[in-house]
């Protein structure tokens, strides 16, 4: 199966990029240039009508939404053991963690740069930005206290939760989160940054 | 396996409730009383530290996040055929649809009643509310044009996408969405409301 990942640097597409590396998948990448709003071009909207990254072209069609793509990568490359595929409860825990990132942490983060999605008035958008350190911080607090088992998110086994958390952790300083409050998240970020899959994906995204 | 669902009426927990009925699962329900803020009580926070519904107690532990719970129900009761479990691509399509509901539609909807999550200033919160018909409407437009195949979301087969869409569709008038613009969604809602699983779950939630 040949796969093609549409990505943009500094977005959540990094998680799927790393997971494809972790899986040993055969894939190519296409950069979507957000600086010229390429994600809203007719050509890209044909690929992903939502006008966002990531999108993954497969020989069966196109997939979107990071947690769904991450589960797809894990299921398509079972030998890479990126999720507990034969255990519905453990798989649901993996998915619940990724959903918390997607629907809580990412949404809170998006109110910093993309408040225009939810309000038009610049004053309201500024108000949203003002609360981002608190809302993103609350998500990280929950992850630190309740979720991140260590050394990997789910404990001894590396899973598709790890590249997804690592991706958001790239932005935590910019989101105004205090590093000393979340030592396990910071340690996880360091551990991830040493993996060859992470180094390869980041190098390609930043130097392509 | 005995399951216990923590739910609140008029919330997204309805989707998991219907899916448990569809699956023929043995389960009990516990109502969380939002009118007295029971979801923030120490007792409930012990069950779900996120202070939200739904939460599903299993004999292995507690699961949260609707799309993860829906996939868990489908995988735990394979004979009910609530998802294409042996086809990673088709399963990812199911998950991508549910993620679009969770991370886009539900988030847009939440800015109507729960804007305080993302801003403190009442003027900013009112601004968010003002934009809800547009943002929720955009999600439904995408579902109507690109995603809902009919008669069920994924086409001929009923899946865990159906109770989840139905749940949000309960609120579309209150969200300010024009019904004539989304005839397929409205027809789907009618079709769902005639299912015995849906009738049973709603009756229990509203008359318990």
């Amino acid at each position: 199966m040949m796969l093609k990942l549409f990505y943009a640097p500094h977005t959540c597409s990094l998680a799927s990029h790393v997971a494809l590396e972790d899986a040993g998948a055969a894939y190519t990448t296409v950069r979507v240039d957000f600086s010229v709003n390429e994600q809203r071009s007719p050509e890209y909207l044909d690929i992903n009508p939502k006008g966002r990254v990531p999108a993954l072209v497969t020989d069966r069609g196109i997939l979107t939404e990071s947690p769904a793509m991450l589960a797809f990568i894990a299921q398509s490359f079972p030998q890479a053991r990126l999720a507990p595929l034969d255990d519905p409860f453990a798989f649901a825990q993996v998915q619940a963690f990724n959903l918390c990132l997607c629907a809580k942490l990412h949404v809170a983060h998006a109110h910093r740069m993309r408040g225009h999605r939810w309000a038009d008035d610049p004053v309201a958008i500024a108000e949203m930005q003002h609360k981002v350190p608190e809302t993103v911080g609350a998500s990280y607090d929950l992850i630190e206290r309740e979720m991140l088992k260590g050394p990997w998110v789910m404990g001894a086994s590396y899973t598709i939760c790890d590249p997804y958390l690592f991706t958001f952790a790239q932005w935590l300083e910019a989101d105004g989160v205090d590093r000393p409050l979340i030592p396990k998240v910071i340690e996880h970020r360091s551990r991830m940054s040493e993996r060859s899959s992470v180094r390869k994906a980041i190098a390609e995204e930043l130097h392509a």
Side-chain angles (χ1 to χ4, degrees), chain A:
Chain A
M1 177 169 54
M2 193 61 203
L3 299 168
K4 183 158 66 173
L5 176 70
F6 285 81
Y7 79 96
H10 310 297
T11 73
C12 68
S13 53
L14 177 64
S16 296
H17 196 169
V18 171
L20 287 167
E21 279 295 323
D22 287 323
Y27 71 99
T28 56
T29 60
V30 180
R31 179 191 291 238
V32 181
D33 190 349
F34 277 30
S35 73
V36 295
N37 221 23
E38 190 180 357
Q39 74 273 26
R40 307 297 309 173
S41 67
E43 293 77 16
Y44 188 70
L45 290 174
D46 271 352
I47 293 163
N48 181 6
K50 286 177 266 197
R52 300 195 188 170
V53 291
L56 187 67
V57 181
T58 80
D59 49 17
R60 299 267 303 278
I62 290 163
L63 293 175
T64 57
E65 306 291 344
S66 291
M69 290 167 55
L70 291 167
F72 172 76
I73 293 165
Q75 291 183 336
S76 298
F77 300 92
Q79 76 288 353
R81 299 175 173 275
L82 296 175
L85 300 177
D86 299 321
D87 181 338
F89 179 79
F91 184 69
Q93 286 186 307
V94 164
Q95 295 227 98
F97 182 85
N98 281 356
L99 278 157
C100 186
L101 296 184
C102 171
K104 311 271 190 313
L105 176 55
H106 197 176
V107 168
H109 161 82
H111 284 74
R112 177 163 63 87
M113 310 250 297
R114 302 200 166 93
H116 56 83
R117 287 181 184 165
W118 300 289
D120 297 319
D121 175 20
V123 176
I125 291 171
E127 274 295 312
M128 292 178 188
Q129 289 176 328
H130 183 70
K131 201 174 170 72
V132 164
E134 176 189 334
T135 55
V136 172
S139 281
Y140 276 115
D141 180 57
L142 198 66
I143 291 165
E144 179 81 16
R145 282 189 298 109
E146 304 275 353
M147 298 174 130
L148 204 173
K149 293 174 184 158
W152 305 115
V153 170
M154 285 292 146
S157 299
Y158 179 93
T159 68
I160 47 174
C161 298
D162 294 296
Y164 203 31
L165 174 60
F166 174 76
T167 295
F168 294 112
Q170 303 300 295
W171 312 327
L172 64 86
E173 284 90 351
D175 285 339
V177 178
D178 283 340
R179 279 183 294 191
L181 296 178
I182 50 170
K184 289 161 64 183
V185 172
I186 299 299
E187 192 190 347
H188 179 268
R189 186 173 70 175
S190 297
R191 187 175 294 115
M192 283 296 294
S193 67
E194 289 164 13
R195 287 176 67 90
S196 61
S197 58
V198 172
R199 288 172 179 267
K200 185 165 174 218
I202 288 180
E204 184 186 340
E205 294 200 0
L206 298 187
H207 306 296

